[in-house]
Each structure stands twice: as C-alpha cells, then as structure tokens.
Amino acid sequence: QSEHESPASAAAVLDGWTLVYSGKVRDLYVESSGIETADAAPSLETASRVLVVASDRVSAFDHVLEPGIPGKGALLTTLSLWWFDRLRDVPNHLVADHELVGNSVRELIPAAVAGRAMLCRTLDMYPIECVVRGYLTGSGWKEYRQSQSVCGIALPAGLQNGDRLPEPIYTPAWKAPMGQHDENISFERTVELVGAQVAAELRDLSLALFATASAIAEQAGVILADTKFEFGADRQTGVTVLADEVFTSDSSRYWDAEAWKTGTTPETRMASFDKQIVRNWLAAHWDGAGTPPVLPSEIVEQTAARYRELLERLSRA
Ligand code: ATP
Ligand code: MG
C-alpha cells in the first residue's frame, strides 16, 4: 500500500491506519488492527487514539470547492497546535505523537501527513458547537436584525454589522448529524442535551478561552471576532476536554484591528484572515445552483497569503 494524495485533496491512504470519517475539511483515522474482521473493524467507538488530518480542502456555503488552498491543512494544524500550547490551563485532546520502542523513538504520525495531522485521544464528543461572539456579524447579525437578540440573548438597539458587543456572548449550536445543518440553540436547550453541570462547564470554558485568546490576538493587531469550540468527555475519567481544532481561521473570524478601526464599510472594517475572500468571490459568481465554479488562481493565492499572514502575525506577537 502506498502513501499518496490525489491532486483533488482526497483523503490520503495511510499504511497502518484506517480512514473512519471524512468531513468537509478533515479526515479521521484510527490505527488498523491488522486482523480486519467484520466485528473487529477499526472504529472511533473502540479506538483510544484518533489521527486528525487537515486537508487543503476549502468549503464555503457548505460546499467543498475546487481547487484546494495549497498549504491550508498545514497552516490550520500549526495554528491549532500554537493555540493549544498557549491554553494549557484547559485539558486538550493532544497525545504524544511518538513512542519509545526499546531504546529508539517511533514516530506515530505517518510521514505523508506530517505537519498537518494531530494525534488525539478519542473522546465522547458533546453534540454542541460552543460558539462565542465578541463582535456581531454572520448568522448573529442576521438574527439580530430580526429579533435584536442572538440565541435568546437580548442586545442593545442600533448595532451595525461588525460592531463590538458590550461583552462576549455564548451562542451554542446543536451539531447536526452528517448532511444536516447545525442549528442555533438556547443555553437551556444545551442543559437538556448534556445536563446542567456539563452545559455550564462548556459555557464557562468557552468564554474563558475566548477572553484569553482575544487578549493574545489583540497584541498581534488582530481582532478575534468569534469562534467555535468542540469539547468531549474523556472515556476513562469523564473529564471535559477541549477537542477538534482551536482558533483556526476555519473555526474563527479574525479581522485586522487597524482596518476595523478606520474602515467605513462592512467590507473595509472586516478585513479578514480567513476564507471570506472565497465566500465573497463565490457569492458574486454563483447563484447556488448545481456545482460551484472552480476558484480562479488569484483567489486561491490571496486566500493562502491571508492564512499565512495570520500565523506570522500571531507568532511574532
Ligand atoms: P463539516 O464537514 O461540517 O465540518 P465535521 O465538523 O464533522 O463536518 P470535520 O470538522 O472535517 O467535519 O471533522 C472533524 C470531526 O472530528 C468532527 O466531527 C469532530 O467532532 C471530530 N473530533 C474532533 N476531535 C475529536 C476527538 N478527540 N475525538 C473524537 N472525535 C473528534
Ligand atoms: Mg468541523
């Protein structure tokens, strides 16, 4: 079996690993058992470790687009690792990516995906997307215009798209099973889903993580406008663990602080370090019917450059 990746950023075939899930952007693998029988098939349910591989795929409006953004998987993985390292007060899902065999070190992450993969403990994931918003835009802005509230949280009148909120708010969403759209829910609904204690823990951890990261981003001249976390329960201890990707430009909106201060239109205020360039281009060139058009190379390059700039700015600060 060879380790290769097709140009269309399809999931890699990895010797010793079994692909158990492909999301729009990431591929999950567990260690192959060697003895593959129907009732001992490798699965997320039984594996203690999961390899989370970020591809170069880019999605917008729930469609995976062609081509991918070269280097995106590695950049997003580096961003996650960079942030996990700065948020060590909260337990996270990373585990050692090497093992000692006798007196030699064995790398566990296959060379073919090195740099864009994280080895993690498999958790029982909570079906909640823990969204925190420090600024009003996107679906929050849409909801605000209809009801002057977001996820049941009342907000002051007169806010504009891109405005800073009086304080960051927790606006959870229900993580719909594959193929369905995630749905904004109230805090009370999260209590029904995971119990009062865990619901409060997810909210408090999310708000605390957001406050810490916003302060760090600010030093880099970057606004962290909003973000989404996922948490899971440790299978042995039940402890709540920070999982998935964290503060990447796929899971967060990042804006240039200077542009936000001086900008006069939503476009110039929200100069973003994420795939907004892709969303804007697509919105102007596609009516949503059939297959989305292929991204032009200048859009691909501009997007890649913005992703790179975010990492440079953060790591310089
Ligand atoms: P979409 O295509 O809409 O993004 P998705 O969120 O399921 O769907 P990805 O984000 O590409 O797709 O895949 C990552 C998946 O891995 C998520 O379902 C996430 O809940 C899961 N996950 C992340 N960390 C862990 C972990 N430590 N244990 C188990 N599952 C995890
Ligand atoms: Mg996801």
Side-chain angles (χ1 to χ4, degrees):
Q1 215 174 17
S2 70
E3 294 182 349
H4 67 89
E5 192 168 3
S6 83
S9 21
V13 174
L14 302 174
D15 209 12
W17 295 86
T18 302
L19 179 69
V20 289
Y21 179 78
S22 267
K24 279 191 286 291
V25 174
R26 284 168 299 156
D27 303 308
L28 305 189
Y29 299 78
V30 299
E31 280 140 304
S32 308
S33 58
I35 9 156
E36 318 273 309
T37 64
D39 39 77
S43 75
L44 266 186
E45 283 64 44
T46 53
S48 59
R49 291 191 293 216
V50 55
L51 186 69
V52 178
V53 178
S55 72
D56 288 349
R57 298 190 289 270
V58 62
S59 71
F61 309 121
D62 274 341
H63 287 264
V64 176
L65 306 172
E66 289 292 340
I69 309 291
K72 176 173 178 276
L75 276 161
L76 293 200
T77 300
T78 309
L79 268 176
S80 277
L81 295 173
W82 190 89
W83 279 112
F84 277 128
D85 201 44
R86 265 149 200 83
L87 303 166
R88 289 198 212 174
D89 293 348
V90 176
N92 67 57
H93 67 161
L94 297 178
V95 296
D97 55 9
H98 57 270
E99 248 170 18
L100 287 172
V101 186
N103 60 2
S104 65
V105 176
R106 186 168 82 93
E107 297 297 333
L108 295 170
I109 295 182
V113 294
R116 58 186 183 91
M118 302 187 300
L119 194 60
C120 306
R121 65 180 128 155
T122 317
L123 303 169
D124 290 326
M125 298 298 289
Y126 293 120
I128 295 174
E129 309 225 314
C130 299
V131 177
V132 180
R133 299 166 199 269
Y135 291 72
L136 189 63
T137 193
S139 68
W141 165 241
K142 210 186 224 176
E143 212 179 309
Y144 172 84
R145 274 189 303 176
Q146 284 156 8
S147 62
Q148 207 185 301
S149 66
V150 182
C151 286
I153 300 169
L155 294 172
L159 293 177
Q160 299 301 313
N161 190 8
D163 276 359
R164 185 179 188 155
L165 294 168
E167 60 187 348
I169 55 173
Y170 177 63
T171 60
W174 178 62
K175 205 169 153 45
M178 272 237 282
Q180 289 171 252
H181 278 288
D182 299 340
E183 185 187 308
N184 283 355
I185 55 176
S186 63
F187 177 72
E188 289 67 39
R189 180 79 189 111
T190 69
V191 172
E192 289 168 15
L193 287 166
V194 297
Q197 202 195 320
V198 172
E201 201 182 0
L202 298 185
R203 177 196 59 203
D204 297 347
L205 282 171
S206 298
L207 288 168
L209 287 163
F210 188 82
T212 306
S214 301
I216 295 173
E218 202 181 305
Q219 287 167 19
V222 171
I223 289 174
L224 180 61
D226 57 29
T227 198
K228 181 217 71 174
F229 308 101
E230 289 185 35
F231 297 88
D234 182 284
R235 286 175 174 171
Q236 258 90 53
T237 62
V239 165
T240 297
V241 177
L242 178 59
D244 211 51
E245 58 184 344
V246 64
F247 296 122
T248 67
S249 22
D250 272 5
S251 67
S252 322
R253 284 193 176 88
Y254 282 103
W255 302 332
D256 183 283
E258 195 53 41
W260 184 81
K261 243 189 282 160
T262 55
T264 48
T265 64
E267 293 69 37
T268 51
R269 288 174 87 200
M270 294 181 272
S272 62
F273 295 99
D274 48 48
K275 59 186 179 191
Q276 196 61 42
I277 303 165
V278 172
R279 286 197 205 102
N280 292 351
W281 184 85
L282 199 61
H285 292 88
W286 187 45
D287 62 3
T291 327
V294 171
L295 297 171
S297 56
E298 21 352 318
I299 295 297
V300 171
E301 270 144 41
Q302 280 171 29
T303 306
R306 289 301 273 179
Y307 279 90
R308 283 195 300 269
E309 189 182 339
L310 174 65
L311 184 59
E312 273 160 30
R313 283 216 202 175
L314 287 173
S315 52
R316 249 190 282 128

